[in-house]
Amino acid sequence: LSFLLGFFFCTNMSAEVYSTDVTLVSQDGSIITVRSSAVAEKKKDASLLAAKSAFHTLFHAGIEGVKDGSPMIAVERNDYDYRFFSESRYINYITSEVKNVANQKVGNKVRVTVQLSINVKSLIADLQHNKMSISPSWGVAGTKKSTSALNPTIVIVPGLKASEGSDFQAMVAA
């Protein structure tokens, strides 16, 4: 029992707490540059957490100035978030060096602010590839395939007797 309790508390203690302290610096087409802050025991860990927080905020809370501050993801899926962050997939969408802009000592921890650029177009493509529900405000409409040409068409023809003929005039007269 004590082993299970210890395991439970250790796994919960290692969970990352993302910051929503993210601001837009600039936007150039599909590339956005943001500043993000996070607090951790070490400067390196805080920098890493700040970069992850930028993506987490973009996904779930939105960043003021980017698509009216609306979140990118409409329906949250923890499995996607887990894989995106634990497998460091977010690094693929950072288009510039993650620069430390400011450091501040907060008690026995460090608050680090970083600046990074994110390729939003590629990120949306990844979300679509993983069948994530993207918020309508992001203007990414799911393309629906037209199936009307594939569906059979039923035509109702008035009953005609063979003796009356089967041309158009006979159908109109009936």
Side-chain angles (χ1 to χ4, degrees):
L1 180 62
S2 62
F3 172 74
L4 290 176
L5 287 174
F7 180 74
F8 175 76
F9 285 118
C10 287
T11 55
N12 284 341
M13 296 296 266
S14 67
E16 292 180 312
V17 179
Y18 299 107
S19 165
T20 57
D21 184 15
V22 181
T23 55
L24 178 68
V25 174
S26 66
Q27 187 167 7
D28 183 22
S30 63
I31 307 294
I32 61 168
T33 302
V34 296
R35 283 195 179 169
S36 177
S37 299
V39 178
E41 298 284 330
K42 298 176 184 172
K43 183 178 171 182
K44 181 181 176 182
D45 294 340
S47 296
L48 185 64
L49 186 57
K52 289 180 178 183
S53 292
F55 284 95
H56 193 268
T57 301
L58 184 63
F59 286 161
H60 303 293
I63 299 172
E64 197 58 44
V66 180
K67 300 289 183 182
D68 297 324
S70 64
M72 187 179 272
I73 296 176
V75 178
E76 190 172 334
R77 273 190 20 217
N78 291 334
D79 65 318
Y80 179 81
D81 281 2
Y82 176 77
R83 286 183 292 115
F84 189 79
F85 293 115
S86 69
E87 296 172 4
S88 299
R89 289 179 38 215
Y90 64 94
I91 293 171
N92 298 325
Y93 307 101
I94 298 175
T95 61
S96 66
E97 178 185 356
V98 178
K99 299 175 189 171
N100 281 357
V101 179
N103 303 316
Q104 181 182 8
K105 194 82 167 153
V106 180
N108 61 348
K109 296 185 179 187
V110 182
R111 177 186 175 90
V112 175
T113 302
V114 299
Q115 182 169 312
L116 66 146
S117 297
I118 301 171
N119 186 332
V120 176
K121 185 177 181 181
S122 296
L123 188 56
I124 288 175
D126 181 68
L127 292 170
Q128 289 175 320
H129 175 75
N130 285 284
K131 296 177 178 45
M132 293 295 293
S133 179
I134 300 171
S135 295
S137 57
W138 279 82
V140 181
T143 56
K144 292 187 177 180
K145 297 177 183 174
S146 176
T147 57
S148 60
L150 302 175
N151 292 339
T153 304
I154 299 172
V155 178
I156 299 175
V157 180
L160 298 174
K161 296 180 182 173
S163 61
E164 295 174 359
S166 61
D167 61 351
F168 181 74
Q169 293 300 329
M171 288 192 303
V172 171

